[in-house]
Amino acid sequence: QVEDGLEPYLKSAKGGILLDTHLPSMISPKYIDLVVVLRTPNDILYPRLEKRSYHAKKLTENITAEIMQVILEEAVEWFGEDKCEERISTVVGDTEANVRRVVEFVEDWKTKMDRDGEDPCDCALE
């Protein structure tokens, strides 16, 4: 399991880790402070995936998952609504805004860690 391999690193890092995954339930919520789920409207996503030469089956699976909000719902169910943010990503400006949001979160987290000396999101690692 992914978490088993990551756990020693997650414990020693004491937070401040950024992970990118399509399988949110493979990581314990105790290690997670913020979950950002990037979404793209299907009228933009479909041509993007076609341009990447996705086979019809994979393209259909991805579009269906987006319509059904599979990743968003799994993330909210696994980590809780308070840790999850849905962000739209359609153009470069969206990407920049999404990166700024994550950077702001990390900077705020670091400031609170420096000030308080403990994880401000109350997800202390055991």
Side-chain angles (χ1 to χ4, degrees), residues 1-125:
Q1 184 173 2
V2 172
E3 186 176 333
D4 293 340
L6 287 174
E7 192 164 23
Y9 178 71
L10 294 170
K11 282 183 176 180
S12 67
K14 296 184 175 71
I17 298 169
L18 179 64
L19 296 173
D20 178 10
T21 182
H22 289 174
L23 302 168
S25 63
M26 294 189 75
I27 304 293
S28 172
K30 71 183 177 184
Y31 296 117
I32 304 301
D33 296 326
L34 174 68
V35 176
V36 178
V37 179
L38 299 177
R39 308 278 317 278
T40 301
N42 288 323
D43 62 327
I44 294 169
L45 182 60
Y46 191 91
R48 185 182 292 171
L49 298 179
E50 275 188 320
K51 188 175 179 181
R52 293 180 188 169
S53 300
Y54 277 34
H55 295 288
K57 182 179 178 185
K58 185 171 182 178
L59 199 149
T60 300
E61 287 173 357
N62 278 266
I63 295 298
T64 301
E66 185 66 23
I67 290 169
M68 302 300 291
Q69 302 183 51
V70 172
I71 302 298
L72 177 62
E73 288 186 13
E74 182 179 347
V76 169
E77 180 180 317
W78 189 251
F79 298 108
E81 197 169 325
D82 59 319
K83 290 185 178 182
C84 295
E85 288 187 16
E86 175 184 10
R87 307 286 296 189
I88 302 301
S89 182
T90 57
V91 295
V92 172
D94 293 337
T95 303
E96 292 167 355
N98 292 333
V99 169
R100 276 194 307 274
R101 170 63 186 114
V102 172
V103 168
E104 287 170 6
F105 180 87
V106 170
E107 288 174 350
D108 186 49
W109 182 87
K110 284 181 178 179
T111 299
K112 290 175 182 174
M113 280 289 290
D114 289 344
R115 182 189 66 219
D116 301 337
E118 59 186 43
D119 189 335
C121 297
D122 195 32
C123 58
L125 305 179

